[in-house]
Every structure is written in C-alpha cells, then in structure tokens.
Amino acid sequence: MNKSINHQFFFPNPPKAVWEYLTNSELMDLWLMKNDFQPIVGHEFQFRTGPKPDYNFDGIVYCKVLEIVPFEKLSYSWKLGPGDGIINIDSVVKWELKSKNEGTELVLEHSDFAIMENLLIFNSMNEGWVKNVHKIIDRLNAASHGTINT
C-alpha cells in the first residue's frame, strides 16, 4: 500500500518560532506526545502515549532523526505496532518550513508506509496531525497576544 498523509499549514510567525515546536522536546510534549527527541541526525527516540488496542498500537512510536536543516527541514522515521517488537506501520515524517507572507508555511508529508496493515490507525493519524498542529497554532497565537509563555 502506497499511501501518504499530506497537509499544509500557515503560521503568522517566523520559521524560528514554528521550528521550536518541531524540535524542542518539551514543546513537542505540549502538542504531540511525551518524547525523548533530540535534534541530532541519527538520534533514535520514542514518542509515548497510552496503548490503543483497537488500533493494534502499544502506545510507543519508534523514531530516528533522518534529516535536519535548521528552520527549513526535519524528517524522522515513524514506526509502531502492537508490541513485542512487531511493527505494522513503517513510515517517514517530513516537515518543511518556508518563509511566506510575513509568516511560515509548514508542509507535512507523512509517507513511505512500507508496512501498512491498519487503515483505521492511518485515518486516525491523518486527522490527528491536523488536530495536533492546530495546538501549535493556538499556542503561538496565545503567545503573540501575551496570554501564555512558550
């Protein structure tokens, strides 16, 4: 199955502000999941959340940083499954940031689903990326209005 998730977002903030939410482990925890991310090519890390048995997901996403171009590009592998070393989703997440219209265009491509046994979780991830990136938008908007500290 060769499916991909593609989304485009606009932030009225500079790329550096958006980049921080994509590469700072503590900020990533606010909009995505608990993690041990470090912005170093080759770094292996995990995202952790509660298990979702209906989705055949044990709650751990295994990742490895593949590419970093500060304030422009970030990519990492994204693998998950039901546990016991079984992987049923093997994919890549790519973020691209571009200065545009006094803000930042953020493009997400979640692709290369080399193994894909669970369409239900694929659809959930597609919706989840939109929901979670909107958390970044909301936090940056609140910060620009002085209502939260980022």
Side-chain angles (χ1 to χ4, degrees):
M1 177 180 288
N2 189 8
K3 287 195 151 290
S4 65
I5 295 169
N6 296 282
H7 295 291
Q8 185 173 322
F9 306 92
F10 181 77
F11 294 80
N13 311 87
K16 184 177 181 184
V18 178
W19 182 257
E20 285 298 311
Y21 276 89
L22 299 177
T23 60
N24 178 307
S25 180
E26 291 177 15
L27 293 176
M28 292 167 78
D29 186 27
L30 297 174
W31 68 274
L32 190 54
M33 288 181 263
K34 297 214 177 285
N35 65 88
D36 58 343
F37 178 85
Q38 291 181 27
I40 300 167
V41 172
H43 175 68
E44 294 184 11
F45 66 100
Q46 296 177 354
F47 287 110
R48 292 183 167 268
T49 189
K52 307 231 183 306
D54 292 347
Y55 292 90
N56 210 16
F57 173 46
D58 68 353
I60 303 170
V61 181
Y62 300 90
C63 304
K64 181 177 181 178
V65 178
L66 303 173
E67 179 182 21
I68 293 181
V69 178
F71 314 116
E72 293 179 19
K73 287 183 186 178
L74 169 66
S75 69
Y76 43 85
S77 61
W78 180 279
K79 299 178 183 186
L80 56 95
D84 295 328
I86 298 169
I87 298 296
N88 61 14
I89 293 181
D90 185 352
S91 58
V92 175
V93 174
K94 297 177 188 174
W95 300 99
E96 281 194 42
L97 297 84
K98 297 177 188 167
S99 291
K100 189 173 187 178
N101 300 328
E102 298 184 27
T104 303
E105 178 182 86
L106 177 64
V107 176
L108 163 67
E109 179 184 13
H110 188 165
S111 63
D112 298 339
F113 288 93
I115 303 169
M116 184 69 205
E117 295 179 358
N118 190 335
L119 193 55
L120 185 62
I121 198 166
F122 175 86
N123 292 333
S124 179
M125 285 189 296
N126 188 27
E127 295 169 8
W129 281 122
V130 173
K131 177 182 161 193
N132 288 324
V133 171
H134 278 273
K135 291 178 187 176
I136 301 173
I137 294 169
D138 292 345
R139 292 190 66 81
L140 285 171
N141 284 339
S144 69
H145 291 96
T147 55
I148 66 164
N149 294 321
T150 57

